[in-house]
Amino acid sequence: VVFANDTTRYLGGTTDANGDFRIQAIPNGRYRLKISSIGYESLALPLIMDGTPKSMGELQLKPEATMLK
């Protein structure tokens, strides 16, 4: 999770064996949820925290196109 107006990292986390993640105790405000994994394109989504729990649903990363040498 990074602040929406810059790239300062606020909070991070990892997934469990099923790919599920939970990030707690984020103060109200505007953020970007950045998701990345080696071999896949990164994904960034807007995240507005307003005191209510959020569910991002199922998120899928696209395989990264890599040129072999």
Side-chain angles (χ1 to χ4, degrees):
V1 176
V2 297
F3 291 108
N5 57 350
D6 61 30
T7 58
T8 304
R9 182 176 170 187
Y10 176 73
L11 181 54
T14 58
T15 64
D16 64 16
N18 296 319
D20 297 326
F21 65 93
R22 181 177 295 239
I23 301 174
Q24 298 179 358
I26 302 174
N28 289 352
R30 294 178 178 272
Y31 301 89
R32 280 184 294 137
L33 177 63
K34 293 180 73 175
I35 302 167
S36 62
S37 182
I38 296 172
Y40 293 87
E41 294 180 12
S42 295
L43 179 65
L45 301 169
L47 180 62
I48 300 173
M49 298 305 297
D50 59 7
T52 61
K54 304 290 183 239
S55 174
M56 302 306 289
E58 183 174 311
L59 304 172
Q60 293 185 356
L61 300 179
K62 295 179 183 178
E64 190 171 55
T66 311
M67 298 262 312
L68 298 177
K69 294 183 179 182

